[in-house]
Amino acid sequence: METTFIDYEVEDRIATITLNRPEAANAQTLPMLDDLDEAWRRAAEDEDVRVIILQANGKHFSAGHDIKGVGEGETPPSWTLAGIYETEARRFLEYSLRWRNVPKPSIAAVQGVCIAGGLLLAWPCDLIIAADNATFSDPVVNMGIGGVEYHGHTWEWGARKAKELLFTGRAMTAAEAEQLGMVTRVVPLDDLRTETRVLAAQIATKHPFALRQAKRAVNQTLDVQGFYAAIQSVFDVHQTGHGHALSESGLPILMLFDDMKAEVGKGSSSSNGS
């Protein structure tokens, strides 16, 4: 791995991947995402691993994609839609789909904020355990974009709730997320890692082929219902947001970091983005 922002360890047939950029609320740089993908690959290929845990150090799970540098040092800006499309197709779509399809059960342990791009890390996991202080949101309509690249919203929240949460940008609580079925269970913050580990250990006692087939059965059912095709299609819808922003401002978003931070000020002190 090229950065120090991802920790990886294996113990008792459980691979634990830890986001380790707490000073930035685990906002995701592109190299950090590359290393995260490498950690997922290692866990997928390790025959001793039966379950994967994704967790985060610090107060927050992830404040989204780090966009602090957008537009800095660019006179005139050199953004192109083709370049944006290529970068996002790989890191914000392909990676999330690949993690979703890893043939081993995975559990996300979420505390604090999970904003925009943070959803692209949690949603691919098979189960989500949330601390009682966790919140989930996608406020990128504030940036002139219709939602993050991996459109799990409609599948995870239902159509009308997805529209409400996208239109308003408001954060949902862990309890609300559990009620919607996105979160498996809600636990006290101090018990988050212990409870996640207990569940992972229980799952790890099962036969790996049976686990693989159970996961495949559910994912294939979603795909037959249109999940995969919808994810691919809405990714292109997302790109029209960048194209529109480029046509107006020369930048891929219409609202930069300071304005966005003001909109989600109740969240973290780092950058958040689409």
Side-chain angles (χ1 to χ4, degrees), residues 3-68:
T3 72
T4 60
F5 299 140
I6 302 294
D7 292 337
Y8 180 87
E9 64 178 2
V10 176
E11 184 178 358
D12 298 329
R13 297 184 291 195
I14 300 169
T16 302
I17 303 170
T18 306
L19 309 179
N20 189 33
R21 199 184 177 211
E23 73 284 355
N26 294 304
Q28 307 151 29
T29 64
L30 298 184
M32 179 181 177
L33 287 170
D34 292 342
D35 283 354
L36 179 57
D37 184 61
E38 171 66 13
W40 274 95
R41 185 194 62 78
R42 289 174 61 184
E45 294 179 356
D46 188 341
E47 294 183 358
D48 292 331
V49 171
R50 293 192 181 180
V51 183
I52 301 166
I53 292 174
L54 177 65
Q55 62 185 22
N57 287 335
K59 295 180 178 180
H60 301 294
F61 179 75
S62 179
H65 298 147
D66 195 325
I67 61 169
K68 286 188 294 185

Side-chain angles (χ1 to χ4, degrees), residues 1-272:
M1 296 185 186
E2 297 181 0
T3 72
T4 60
F5 299 140
I6 302 294
D7 292 337
Y8 180 87
E9 64 178 2
V10 176
E11 184 178 358
D12 298 329
R13 297 184 291 195
I14 300 169
T16 302
I17 303 170
T18 306
L19 309 179
N20 189 33
R21 199 184 177 211
E23 73 284 355
N26 294 304
Q28 307 151 29
T29 64
L30 298 184
M32 179 181 177
L33 287 170
D34 292 342
D35 283 354
L36 179 57
D37 184 61
E38 171 66 13
W40 274 95
R41 185 194 62 78
R42 289 174 61 184
E45 294 179 356
D46 188 341
E47 294 183 358
D48 292 331
V49 171
R50 293 192 181 180
V51 183
I52 301 166
I53 292 174
L54 177 65
Q55 62 185 22
N57 287 335
K59 295 180 178 180
H60 301 294
F61 179 75
S62 179
H65 298 147
D66 195 325
I67 61 169
K68 286 188 294 185
V70 172
E72 292 181 1
E74 297 279 348
T75 308
S78 60
W79 297 89
T80 67
L81 184 56
I84 296 167
Y85 193 103
E86 181 178 0
T87 296
E88 295 195 348
R90 176 187 174 193
R91 292 185 173 94
F92 304 157
L93 181 64
E94 178 185 326
Y95 281 1
S96 291
L97 284 171
R98 182 154 63 232
W99 305 335
R100 178 219 185 218
N101 292 323
V102 165
K104 298 177 181 181
S106 57
I107 308 172
V110 178
Q111 79 279 7
V113 300
C114 181
I115 301 175
L119 298 170
L120 274 61
L121 309 187
W123 278 342
C125 294
D126 300 304
L127 306 175
I128 299 175
I129 297 183
D132 51 13
N133 75 335
T135 61
F136 302 85
S137 63
D138 183 5
V140 300
V141 165
N142 294 321
M143 305 164 67
I145 307 292
V148 288
E149 297 81 359
Y150 179 92
H151 185 84
H153 312 67
T154 304
W155 301 86
E156 299 283 355
W157 298 339
R160 283 196 168 82
K161 184 60 70 172
K163 289 175 182 177
E164 178 208 337
L165 294 170
L166 285 168
F167 293 169
T168 65
R170 77 167 179 86
M172 72 164 71
T173 64
E176 184 180 2
E178 183 182 28
Q179 186 178 34
L180 290 174
M182 186 186 82
V183 163
T184 310
R185 64 181 67 167
V186 178
V187 301
L189 175 60
D190 291 343
D191 298 335
L192 178 62
R193 292 197 174 183
T194 299
E195 292 291 328
T196 302
R197 190 83 187 180
V198 167
L199 179 58
Q202 178 185 1
I203 295 171
T205 64
K206 311 301 182 183
H207 194 286
F209 185 73
L211 291 172
R212 176 179 186 148
Q213 295 303 89
K215 174 171 180 172
R216 180 170 173 79
V218 176
N219 281 5
Q220 285 286 86
T221 299
L222 290 171
D223 289 343
V224 168
Q225 293 173 343
F227 174 85
Y228 182 80
I231 289 289
Q232 295 285 346
S233 177
V234 180
F235 176 76
D236 287 347
V237 173
H238 175 92
Q239 297 306 315
T240 66
H242 289 310
H244 176 252
L246 286 171
S247 72
E248 288 203 3
S249 68
L251 295 173
I253 55 178
L254 293 179
M255 184 179 291
L256 296 181
F257 172 62
D258 289 341
D259 300 309
M260 184 66 175
K261 183 177 177 181
E263 290 284 350
V264 295
K266 293 181 181 181
S268 80
S269 60
S270 182
S271 58
N272 318 284

